[in-house]
Amino acid sequence: MEKLNEEQTICRLNAFEAYDVLSDPFWREMHDQFGVRAIKLGVFVNKEKDMRRYLYHGDIFLTYKSVYGSTNPYAHIISMLLNKKATINVGVKQDVEKIPIYLTLNEIFYGALKKINIPKSDGTQCITNLKIPKGLPVNSEIVHDLPDGRTVIFITNDLPHKHFVRSGQNLISTYSVTIEEMMFGVQFIIHTIDNKQLRVNITQVITPSYQKVIRGEGMPAYGENCDKRGNIILKFKIEIPRDLSVIKKMICKTTSEMEDFKSLRK
């Protein structure tokens, strides 16, 4: 077998990765529009700004099989000698089962080794371990070889979280505030994904468009920059009382009454 030095190995791996990208209609289009760096960082795929990120599985034999239908480069020659029809799918990927998997924000934050049960055609289960990298973007596609010899593509989705919704590296949370809190401010504590308790003190009037940004407490970046983190973005929903008399009382408060109210809240 031919022995390759490190430079030749990297060159050959890059060639197989290039074929893997260009043979897929979606990733080819994204590559032509944005380039290879963009598809590896992630591209938005719809108006809802769902992001997909290209990840090469690194298995050159799997790529070879998608071209020639076998990992054996001499399969078609052997087949001809045995007078049998060879299975060759030149330039066409074999059908690969796509399986959605749902990840918690904790699994994405820390990274995880996830055990997954996949049903077989005979009714039994195939158990496999899937490595989840830190900061993995939503709608990522992970090509994975199962212990039973099948190849599948896992498509990642976020499970709902009690407090946060992920948007890129940022975590968005919405808090309800009363009319009094809207006018005079509010204090509360938020619990981060990594179990920190952060005290939030709002001292200004909260408008419907107001947002409080807590920098560096969001999700980790994916890849080499995993030490960098996004932000927590707090949005506010103002609870309007149904009883208009409550609103009138708040509007009609004198300056001294407002100061008294503030002192009571401290």
Side-chain angles (χ1 to χ4, degrees):
M1 181 179 289
E2 179 186 6
K3 291 186 178 180
L4 304 177
N5 59 35
E6 183 178 356
E7 183 179 352
Q8 291 173 321
T9 301
I10 294 174
C11 183
R12 181 165 295 186
L13 187 63
N14 289 340
F16 276 95
E17 181 179 1
Y19 174 82
D20 191 64
V21 171
L22 299 178
S23 62
D24 185 295
F26 173 80
W27 288 121
R28 183 187 183 95
E29 181 182 354
M30 293 298 102
H31 174 272
D32 292 344
Q33 289 187 44
F34 306 110
V36 65
R37 179 174 174 81
I39 66 174
K40 289 187 175 183
L41 291 175
V43 293
F44 294 114
V45 296
N46 53 36
K47 293 182 179 179
E48 286 72 29
K49 294 187 177 180
D50 292 328
M51 180 177 284
R52 285 180 63 183
R53 178 187 183 88
Y54 172 76
L55 296 172
Y56 182 53
H57 46 73
D59 188 344
I60 62 174
F61 291 104
L62 179 62
T63 306
Y64 189 96
K65 184 177 180 180
S66 72
V67 181
Y68 298 107
S70 171
T71 56
N72 185 348
Y74 305 106
H76 63 292
I77 299 176
I78 296 172
S79 179
M80 290 172 61
L81 293 174
L82 295 176
N83 198 25
K84 293 182 180 180
K85 184 178 179 181
T87 303
I88 302 176
N89 295 322
V90 179
V92 179
K93 283 180 173 288
Q94 292 184 327
D95 290 335
V96 178
E97 182 181 2
K98 294 188 176 182
I99 302 174
I101 58 170
Y102 296 89
L103 307 174
T104 66
L105 291 186
N106 289 73
E107 289 174 326
I108 300 166
F109 185 92
Y110 292 106
L113 187 64
K114 194 173 182 68
K115 182 175 288 187
I116 302 175
N117 295 330
I118 301 174
K120 296 182 179 181
S121 57
D122 60 2
T124 60
Q125 297 282 330
C126 176
I127 301 175
T128 187
N129 292 319
L130 181 67
K131 184 178 180 181
I132 306 299
K134 289 175 61 174
L136 186 69
V138 68
N139 286 331
S140 292
E141 296 186 355
I142 305 175
V143 179
H144 185 75
D145 292 327
L146 300 178
D148 61 6
R150 289 180 294 163
T151 298
V152 298
I153 297 177
F154 291 109
I155 302 176
T156 65
N157 295 279
D158 291 355
L159 281 171
H161 189 269
K162 185 177 180 180
H163 300 296
F164 297 113
V165 174
R166 182 163 66 135
S167 177
Q169 290 177 238
N170 296 328
L171 293 173
I172 299 175
S173 186
T174 302
Y175 284 81
S176 296
V177 293
T178 64
I179 290 290
E180 291 91 342
E181 291 170 334
M182 177 197 78
M183 296 178 67
F184 304 127
V186 62
Q187 290 183 354
F188 54 89
I189 293 175
I190 63 172
H191 298 267
T192 64
I193 298 293
D194 53 345
N195 297 319
K196 293 180 184 176
Q197 294 186 9
L198 304 178
R199 183 178 295 276
V200 178
N201 185 21
I202 308 294
T203 58
Q204 66 183 75
V205 174
I206 299 174
T207 64
S209 61
Y210 173 74
Q211 295 181 355
K212 175 73 173 179
V213 178
I214 304 175
R215 301 193 178 279
E217 295 294 344
M219 298 296 287
Y222 176 77
E224 297 178 356
N225 297 321
C226 61
D227 291 335
K228 295 182 179 180
R229 291 174 58 180
N231 306 320
I232 290 178
I233 300 175
L234 303 179
K235 297 182 178 181
F236 297 90
K237 178 182 178 182
I238 302 171
E239 296 178 342
I240 306 297
R242 294 185 178 182
D243 188 352
L244 292 178
S245 62
V246 176
I247 300 177
K248 290 179 181 179
K249 288 179 181 178
M250 294 303 304
I251 295 175
C252 295
K253 281 182 178 290
T254 63
T255 304
S256 60
E257 288 174 328
M258 289 183 179
E259 293 299 327
D260 291 340
F261 186 83
K262 286 183 180 179
S263 64
L264 290 174
R265 294 188 58 81
K266 291 182 180 179

